[in-house]
Each structure stands twice: as structure tokens, then as C-alpha cells.
Amino acid sequence: IAGPAPSAARGRRVVDAPTRVIHGLLALGFTGAWLTAESDALHALHVTLGYTVALLLGLRLVYGLVGPRHARLSQWWRRLAGAPSWLRRVVATPAASGARPWRQGPNLLMATAVVAMLAMVAPLALSGYATHARLGDDALEDVHEFFAHAMLAMVLLHLSLLALLSVMRRQNPVRPMLTGRIPGPGPDLVRADRRPLAVLLLAAVLGIAAWQWQWQQTATQHGGAPAGHAARWHDDDD
């Protein structure tokens, strides 16, 4: 009995390496920035991670505009554009028939969460920079906190939808962002993995982040005061 074809054994390639690298670094960067937000001792790291997340957003937008078709951001917009017609079908289908197209709902929510997260990075980073540079009063920090909490809400929604889709489809939806492939036979949706570009992006982002970290450390050693939550509390106590 012949075994499975090599392509079927490996699965289908659906996500290329640059997209996976940017996605993974964005997740790690936001998580690290969130965990260090309340610490004056880690303020330099918090600022570095914030700038890195902003850089990654820029890279993702560029790749989403000029990159291969599967990485285009327009695919998310197309999904959102189908929301009105989906809602009309849901309303028009009698509930007793049991045929309402509920299964498309999680996909639309996923698209909404992804687009919302990408849209929030810019105001989050800009308000963080303004707070760090002390360009305004405490209202700017409140704006920064608002977008940070809103981003966290979208991240949690994103993770919840991944868990729901894994149950509905009986597949691991995280696997494509780790390996670039999904199990099963069929043609690859991504012709090339573009690993050299992914390595170049990783090296560039880590290099810029390391430079920013050193710059923040130097600024702190020469009298730069952190502008985080704890700093504001100390000022209030005075």
C-alpha cells in the first residue's frame, strides 16, 4: 500500500515566513509592553517594546500593501464587507428552520478583531510617545491607557475566537502561524516561504530594538525620568 504523498504529509502551505515573524513579534511585543507598563524600573524596556510594536505595524502595513496576495490586508476588508449581507441572511432566515448561517459569524468577528488591533497600534504608540516625552498633561496618559485596554480586549477576543474555531473545525488554528501549513492534501496557497526575507526582517527588528534599548538606558542614566503610572502616583504624593 502506497503511503501518503510527500505534499500531503507536510500539509498545505498557507502562511509565509515574513507574515509569521511579524505576527509573532507583534504578539510578544504587546505582551511585554503590557506586563512592563506599571513598572518604573522597567520603563525603558516598556518604551522600547512600544516603539518596536509601532515599527512592526509599519512593516505589516507595507507587507500588506505590496506583499503577496495571501498577505494582503485587503482580504480582511473583503470579509468585513460581507458582514451586511450575512446579517441580512441571518435576519431573513427563520429561526425554526435551523439553517441560519451562524458559522460565518466567528470569521467576521475574527476579521473585526484583527482590523481593530491593527488600527489601534498607531494611537497607542503615539499616545505612549507623547506621555513618555511629557508633551501634555495626565489626559494623554489616560488616552494611552484607554487604547492599551482596548487593544487587550481585542487580543482576548482574538484568542477566544481561535479557541472557538478550533472546536468548530476540529483543527488547530494556531498551527499555520507556527509552521505556515495546515494538514491535508491540496495545493499550496503560498508558493514561496520567503525565509530569507523573514530572517532579514527579524534581524532588522531585533537590531533596531537593541539600539532603542541602549538609547533608553543611556537617557535614563543621564537623568531621564520615567513617565509611567508609578511616576504620576509619586508626583501626586508630593
Side-chain angles (χ1 to χ4, degrees), residues 6-133:
S7 59
R10 294 196 307 269
R12 303 167 58 200
R13 183 187 293 123
V14 295
V15 183
D16 67 0
T19 302
R20 301 199 306 272
V21 166
I22 295 174
H23 181 274
L25 291 177
L26 273 171
L28 292 174
F30 175 75
T31 301
W34 176 268
L35 294 176
T36 57
E38 302 291 345
S39 173
D40 280 349
L42 298 176
H43 183 69
L45 178 59
H46 175 74
V47 174
T48 299
L49 291 171
Y51 289 155
T52 303
V53 168
L55 170 64
L56 288 165
L57 170 67
L59 292 174
R60 184 63 184 95
L61 292 177
V62 171
Y63 200 59
L65 293 175
V66 303
R69 184 177 62 180
H70 73 277
R72 296 291 178 92
L73 297 176
S74 57
Q75 64 175 323
W76 299 106
W77 292 113
R78 284 196 296 269
R79 293 184 185 181
L80 290 179
S85 61
W86 174 77
L87 287 173
R88 286 194 295 268
R89 291 199 305 273
V90 170
V91 174
T93 304
S97 68
R100 283 187 170 179
W102 296 115
R103 294 179 65 88
Q104 190 180 352
N107 291 327
L108 290 173
L109 285 175
M110 180 71 75
T112 302
V114 170
V115 171
M117 283 188 289
L118 292 176
M120 287 179 189
V121 171
L124 179 63
L126 290 174
S127 60
Y129 169 78
T131 300
H132 175 65

Side-chain angles (χ1 to χ4, degrees), residues 36-235:
T36 57
E38 302 291 345
S39 173
D40 280 349
L42 298 176
H43 183 69
L45 178 59
H46 175 74
V47 174
T48 299
L49 291 171
Y51 289 155
T52 303
V53 168
L55 170 64
L56 288 165
L57 170 67
L59 292 174
R60 184 63 184 95
L61 292 177
V62 171
Y63 200 59
L65 293 175
V66 303
R69 184 177 62 180
H70 73 277
R72 296 291 178 92
L73 297 176
S74 57
Q75 64 175 323
W76 299 106
W77 292 113
R78 284 196 296 269
R79 293 184 185 181
L80 290 179
S85 61
W86 174 77
L87 287 173
R88 286 194 295 268
R89 291 199 305 273
V90 170
V91 174
T93 304
S97 68
R100 283 187 170 179
W102 296 115
R103 294 179 65 88
Q104 190 180 352
N107 291 327
L108 290 173
L109 285 175
M110 180 71 75
T112 302
V114 170
V115 171
M117 283 188 289
L118 292 176
M120 287 179 189
V121 171
L124 179 63
L126 290 174
S127 60
Y129 169 78
T131 300
H132 175 65
R134 298 186 182 276
L135 299 179
D137 54 19
D138 291 344
L140 280 174
E141 187 169 348
D142 294 334
V143 172
H144 187 59
E145 289 184 8
F146 169 80
F147 281 107
H149 284 89
M151 174 74 85
L152 179 63
M154 290 298 101
V155 170
L156 294 177
L157 174 61
H158 181 64
L159 295 177
S160 300
L161 290 170
L162 286 176
L164 176 61
L165 290 173
S166 68
V167 174
M168 293 175 58
R169 299 175 180 176
R170 298 181 180 179
Q171 294 180 351
N172 181 4
V174 180
R175 179 176 178 177
M177 280 301 175
L178 297 177
T179 66
R181 295 179 178 272
I182 59 175
D188 290 338
L189 300 182
V190 177
R191 295 181 179 180
D193 201 30
R194 298 178 177 84
R195 291 188 180 182
L197 178 58
V199 172
L200 179 62
L201 287 174
L202 179 62
V205 171
L206 293 180
I208 293 174
W211 169 80
Q212 179 61 221
W213 164 254
Q214 291 295 329
W215 190 90
Q216 292 295 333
Q217 289 287 87
T218 301
T220 300
Q221 293 172 1
H222 286 78
H229 303 287
R232 183 174 69 176
W233 294 337
H234 295 331
D235 293 341

